[in-house]
Amino acid sequence: MIMSSVAEARLVLGKRSTALLGAVAADPGTPLAVGVTGPGGHGKTALLTELARAHQRAGATVLEGVPSRAGQVDPEAVLLVDDAHLLDDARLETLRRLVDARRYRLLVGYRPWPRSAALAELTDALKRDGQQVVLTPFTPEQTGAYLAGVPELGRRNDLVAFVHAQTGGVPRDVERLVRGLRGQEEPVTVSTEPPRPAVLQFGPDLDELASGVRRLLLAVAAGVPLPADLLGVLLDRTPHAVEELVTATRAAGLLGADGRLSPIVRRAVIALSPATERTAVWRRLTELQLGRGAAVLPLVLSLRAAGVLGDCPAPALQAAAEEALSGEPTLAAELFAAATAAGLPAGARQAVAAALAGDLDAALRLADRLLAAADPEDRVEAATVAATALAHRGQVSRSVELYQWSGSPSAAAFAAVGALAVGRPAAAADMPGDDRAGGPPTLHASAARLMAEGVRESLTGPPTTALSTLVQAAALLEPDGRAVLLPDSPAALAALTAIHCAELDIAEGVLDRAVSTGIGGPLMARRHRLLQAWILMVRGHTAAAEGLAAVAADQRPLESRDLLLASALRLGIARRNSDLGALHQGWGPALEAVVRHPVDLFTLLPLGELAVVGARLGDLGRLEPYLREAWLLLDRLGGPALWSAPLHWTGLHAAILAEEPAVADEHVAALLAAADHSRYAAVVSAAAANWVEVLRGVVDPVRVEAAARGLHDAGLYWDAARLAGQAAIRTSDRRAMTSLLECARVLQGRPATARGGQPPTGDGTAPVADAVTDPAQHRLSDREHEVAELVLAGLTYREIGDRLFISAKTVEHHVARMRTRLNCANRAELLALLRTVVADRSSSAGRQPWPERAAR
């Protein structure tokens, strides 16, 4: 490297530059022996050149080279000797004598290797009788100072960090990278790779290297730790010879003190080495690693990152894929595919990896071919893969058949779960799902057995027993569940069970652990995320639910089961936000999702939500066949209260929206009959009874508030606030109305406030003295309902006026009057409350109360 200025030379020297160059300038005639040493590329030549120039400026003559005898040197001249490590012993001895004489001016540069005995004696003499300068890489500050001197680049922090990280601070490499960056036509930006012109500058250096050094560099460029014995076998050298190669490579400035290559040197070695030589070294390295039984995944990952995965032999790719399967199934699927492309036949493990990665198309294609032609062991695993993929795609009955055929303990348990999910309890009874099917009681098999037991208990036993069993099943898979193929995860089933019995905290906990431990790999990750979002929605946190659902639905298309859940989640959020446009927009895709996934036990939750949306849109009839199938399914299973209560609850709300009092009464009766079964059933049965009474014009504020608070305590925040709000706008008692509105605010997660934004009184109750005299005025008129719905839809006052053929000023007047009537402190509070009390047109206060319940 040739540096062009005093400043650059001083960068190499650091703090000692001023003193050394200053001493030469102050007294150039004083005898001075300076030894400059460092690996190649560290500025040895540049520093010697600058010192020589300092002497020349002082009038001294600078001579290069070493005479054969010390007596031939002119004491008045300055002797410059670079690359002294290449000199023979006689000339090194001459230099040593000149240093010992202490009457000559000597500038000597040399690398740390090769280090002969004569060079070692010269080094000792320079340390004793002269000055030795040891060159080291730039510090980050020095790299920044160097860049500051380049007008096109400047001292940008991001650029300094990039250059220093790429080069390790080696001055030669800093200069080359900077030159490459300056040569870019586009504005200089920081990227992950150095520009190609900078890499190409290493070509001459690599061409001059001995074959053994190049092979060593290629081995190190693979990016994995290389023990000395492995290097010896790889390079066909003795341990001593290997050590010599390593030392030589370090002395050339290509290998760091830590035995690694800087990123730019590694890139150059990979890109500029002959492809045949690179392939030969890396193939041999992978073969050696496989032969030693060592991990090959780190090596394969390094080659993949370098863009030369094709240099890996197929067995190494297959072994690396197996290593990756437990932690990164997507990577494993890629490596299995690469092994197949390299000549190995596709096997069941490749199908497993594709399924775990969520690529069910590839998994099913592979599994189907293996079922037809593979050996018995691969066929069994292929059947498991196909069964799992079909379960995720809604073909549960076919999945059960394949699980039964495969015959493993886990498969028998999964078959039992599937049979119960489609309402075939007799078939599930014939599938023990325990260790009687043979095979060791592994964590996987034990978790599968507990899953089957938990689902059975959810149909016939106490919900707490079922929940405990499913949570235990999920816990068994937490240590090593990433590589387990699951038709549904025990965490998801535990969460569904917890949601159905109003234990949302437990549902959140088990899902959080499933996400953090990666149970089921990427295949199950989105189901876990969607269920987390569902809990947020139920609790009224619609913005957070929407964000999490968007993350879960990102990247690859959703499978039919997840698509159904995501569609219901999207519409459930829109319903709670009173976003009529989003409801209309999402209804068609949601119906398609229902068609794609046959009804089963684990899809009743989204189906119930869609029933409410269908009623809200006046299109419930298109969903009726699927709802009938759901009730038939529950009948075949004996009408389990755990699974039927939520469907009765959503059925009640669909009946309310559809103005079907008789149907609503049937759902209320069913909920009351199940009230003793679970906390959820008890809470929603009380709320349901109060809700229909409110719709009939009978508002008991104490009972309504108790029911609403019960819903809130069970995690149904939005439903709780809505019940209190609906009761508030239907009561004729002014004090009850105010109390219920404050209750709705609190249950909605907002502080209770009095009219006009006044705080509550000291005893915690809101003042009511300023309430409007006529309680009927607290109800919204039909026109106000129309305005409220359009405000909630996001229209401006002008757009609302155009829609309703009134002026924007009139719209503003309606909004102000609603704010006063509903006792809201500000617009944000009004909008939040309107979503509760004007959630649907059919339940508005302008409608007539429902008729009395028919006598039975």
Side-chain angles (χ1 to χ4, degrees):
M1 181 186 71
I2 298 176
M3 289 190 170
S4 57
S5 70
V6 176
E8 291 172 340
R10 286 178 175 172
L11 278 176
V12 176
L13 270 173
K15 295 180 179 180
R16 299 181 62 187
S17 62
T18 303
L20 185 59
L21 292 170
V24 172
D27 191 2
T30 299
L32 177 66
V34 178
V36 180
T37 184
H42 281 60
K44 169 174 57 67
T45 300
L47 179 56
L48 289 174
T49 301
E50 189 54 42
L51 289 170
R53 287 174 180 170
H55 281 285
Q56 288 172 334
R57 286 192 293 270
T61 300
V62 178
L63 303 177
E64 296 188 23
V66 183
S68 58
R69 297 192 309 274
Q72 296 176 338
V73 177
D74 181 1
E76 300 297 324
V78 177
L79 187 63
L80 172 63
V81 181
D82 199 1
D83 292 333
H85 57 281
L86 301 178
L87 297 177
D88 58 31
D89 287 353
R91 281 179 163 72
L92 289 172
E93 174 64 18
T94 299
L95 281 176
R96 185 190 63 77
R97 290 176 179 174
L98 292 172
V99 174
D100 287 344
R102 298 186 181 183
R103 48 191 294 262
Y104 297 97
R105 288 176 287 179
L106 304 174
L107 303 176
V108 183
Y110 54 93
R111 290 184 180 181
W113 189 94
R115 187 177 178 83
S116 63
L119 181 60
E121 291 178 1
L122 173 61
T123 301
D124 291 341
L126 286 168
K127 291 179 181 178
R128 183 182 62 248
D129 299 322
Q131 293 191 36
Q132 185 183 51
V133 178
V134 179
L135 301 178
T136 58
F138 282 170
T139 64
E141 291 74 19
Q142 288 174 307
T143 301
Y146 185 88
L147 286 173
V150 182
E152 298 93 329
L153 302 180
R155 192 166 184 166
R156 287 169 33 199
N157 290 338
D158 60 337
L159 197 57
V160 171
F162 171 71
V163 170
H164 195 77
Q166 283 288 321
T167 62
V170 174
R172 171 198 61 206
D173 302 348
V174 170
E175 186 179 44
R176 287 175 175 175
L177 181 52
V178 167
R179 189 182 301 133
L181 292 171
R182 290 176 66 184
Q184 294 183 140
E185 295 182 1
E186 299 295 328
V188 176
T189 56
V190 174
S191 63
T192 56
E193 296 292 342
R196 184 164 177 77
V199 174
L200 292 176
Q201 295 176 65
F202 288 85
D205 296 333
L206 298 177
D207 291 340
E208 294 174 359
L209 296 176
S211 173
V213 175
R214 286 203 309 272
R215 289 170 60 82
L216 172 65
L217 288 173
L218 281 167
V220 177
V224 295
L226 298 172
D229 58 338
L230 177 62
L231 271 177
V233 177
L234 176 66
L235 303 176
D236 195 21
R237 301 290 179 100
T238 65
H240 177 72
V242 169
E243 186 177 351
E244 288 278 310
L245 279 177
V246 170
T247 304
T249 310
R250 283 188 179 134
L254 298 172
L255 188 64
D258 60 356
R260 299 180 182 180
L261 302 177
S262 66
I264 192 171
V265 173
R266 181 171 182 265
R267 172 57 61 186
V269 170
I270 293 172
L272 303 180
S273 296
T276 53
E277 189 174 28
R278 182 188 67 207
T279 301
V281 171
W282 285 352
R283 278 184 175 274
R284 178 63 175 150
L285 181 56
T286 54
E287 290 167 359
L288 289 172
Q289 288 286 78
L290 284 174
R292 293 158 57 97
V296 296
L297 180 59
L299 172 60
V300 172
L301 286 178
S302 293
L303 306 188
R304 174 176 173 265
V308 289
L309 197 60
D311 287 351
C312 286
L317 290 168
Q318 187 179 57
E322 287 288 353
E323 292 173 30
L325 189 59
S326 62
E328 299 182 72
T330 303
L331 172 63
E334 177 190 340
L335 296 178
F336 274 124
T340 301
L344 286 181
R349 299 297 287 170
Q350 183 174 347
V352 170
L356 282 170
D359 187 358
L360 296 189
D361 286 337
L364 283 169
R365 284 194 300 269
L366 284 168
D368 196 55
R369 288 202 297 267
L370 293 168
L371 280 169
D375 59 67
E377 186 176 344
D378 268 3
R379 290 175 66 193
V380 168
E381 195 160 22
T384 301
V385 171
T388 302
L390 292 174
H392 283 262
R393 293 193 162 178
Q395 303 298 316
V396 180
S397 295
R398 174 60 176 155
S399 171
V400 169
E401 294 173 5
L402 285 165
Y403 275 130
Q404 288 177 289
W405 183 86
S406 67
S408 69
S410 299
F414 291 150
V417 171
L420 293 171
V422 295
R424 292 164 49 194
D430 297 331
M431 306 170 196
D434 59 23
D435 299 336
R436 286 177 287 169
T442 63
L443 289 178
H444 182 197
S446 299
R449 177 176 55 80
L450 287 175
M451 281 177 64
E453 289 180 5
V455 174
R456 284 194 185 98
E457 290 162 353
S458 75
L459 301 174
T460 58
T464 52
T465 303
L467 181 57
S468 176
T469 303
L470 291 169
V471 170
Q472 291 174 48
L476 284 177
L477 293 182
E478 287 171 7
D480 189 28
R482 290 179 179 273
V484 177
L485 269 181
L486 298 167
D488 205 345
S489 81
L493 296 183
L496 284 174
T497 303
I499 291 170
H500 283 64
C501 57
E503 297 291 352
L504 299 190
D505 289 340
I506 294 176
E508 280 187 325
V510 73
L511 289 172
D512 289 345
R513 290 191 297 275
V515 169
S516 64
T517 58
I519 290 177
L523 179 62
M524 291 303 311
R526 296 202 288 186
R527 179 155 174 78
H528 295 151
R529 290 292 191 190
L530 289 170
L531 286 170
Q532 285 179 317
W534 190 277
I535 294 170
L536 289 170
M537 178 190 74
V538 169
R539 285 182 158 161
H541 306 315
T542 53
E546 190 170 18
L548 189 56
V551 170
D554 196 16
Q555 299 176 350
R556 66 181 188 275
L558 291 166
E559 298 300 338
S560 61
R561 182 176 60 193
D562 292 340
L563 180 63
L564 177 58
L565 183 59
S567 299
L569 182 61
R570 189 177 304 114
L571 292 181
I573 292 169
R575 180 171 73 89
R576 286 161 177 79
N577 288 338
S578 298
D579 189 345
L580 191 59
L583 289 177
H584 282 291
Q585 185 178 8
W587 180 239
L591 286 174
E592 182 182 351
V594 172
V595 171
R596 287 180 55 184
H597 195 291
V599 175
D600 66 43
L601 192 65
F602 308 134
T603 59
L604 296 183
L605 200 64
L607 187 64
E609 179 63 40
L610 292 177
V612 182
V613 173
R616 174 70 178 83
L617 298 175
D619 201 17
L620 182 58
R622 296 172 70 184
L623 207 61
E624 285 292 353
Y626 306 99
L627 291 171
R628 283 196 297 271
E629 177 57 33
W631 291 116
L632 289 172
L633 168 69
L634 290 169
D635 286 344
R636 293 196 299 271
L637 294 171
L642 177 73
W643 299 97
S644 59
L647 198 59
H648 280 299
W649 176 247
T650 52
L652 166 68
H653 289 287
I656 291 172
L657 290 166
E659 289 287 336
E660 295 179 339
V663 175
D665 288 338
E666 291 174 3
H667 287 299
V668 172
L671 289 170
L672 290 171
D676 294 336
H677 180 267
S678 68
R679 177 191 180 199
Y680 178 93
V683 166
V684 297
S685 62
N690 276 277
W691 214 303
V692 294
E693 289 302 309
V694 166
L695 292 174
R696 289 188 166 96
V698 179
V699 178
D700 183 331
V702 175
R703 288 181 54 213
V704 168
E705 183 168 343
R709 291 191 181 278
L711 288 173
H712 186 273
D713 292 344
L716 304 176
Y717 297 173
W718 188 81
D719 288 328
R722 186 160 175 245
L723 172 58
Q726 291 288 308
I729 62 173
R730 282 173 170 80
T731 181
S732 59
D733 185 317
R734 181 188 62 202
R735 188 177 297 273
M737 182 277 303
T738 303
S739 175
L740 288 168
L741 280 178
E742 294 301 329
C743 176
R745 288 189 181 91
V746 171
L747 299 184
Q748 208 171 37
R750 294 175 294 115
T753 58
R755 183 172 180 263
Q758 297 173 6
T761 58
D763 61 0
T765 60
V768 295
D770 293 335
V772 180
T773 304
D774 183 5
Q777 292 184 14
H778 292 275
R779 302 176 183 177
L780 302 184
S781 67
D782 285 346
R783 173 63 82 188
E784 285 168 344
H785 261 287
E786 292 173 337
V787 171
E789 288 182 344
L790 295 175
V791 167
L792 291 175
L795 274 66
T796 65
Y797 289 169
R798 182 179 295 279
E799 290 168 337
I800 295 171
D802 291 342
R803 184 81 61 90
L804 300 179
F805 304 103
I806 58 179
S807 69
K809 192 69 176 176
T810 302
V811 174
E812 184 179 1
H813 174 70
H814 281 304
V815 171
R817 202 160 62 158
M818 284 188 286
R819 177 176 160 184
T820 299
R821 288 182 174 183
L822 295 178
N823 204 22
C824 295
N826 50 50
R827 178 180 171 83
E829 188 175 323
L830 171 65
L831 293 177
L833 194 57
L834 285 178
R835 292 189 180 98
T836 300
V837 298
V838 196
D840 54 81
R841 185 71 180 97
S842 63
S843 60
S844 66
R847 297 295 182 92
Q848 293 298 318
W850 277 11
E852 292 294 324
R853 182 181 292 106
R856 293 184 181 274

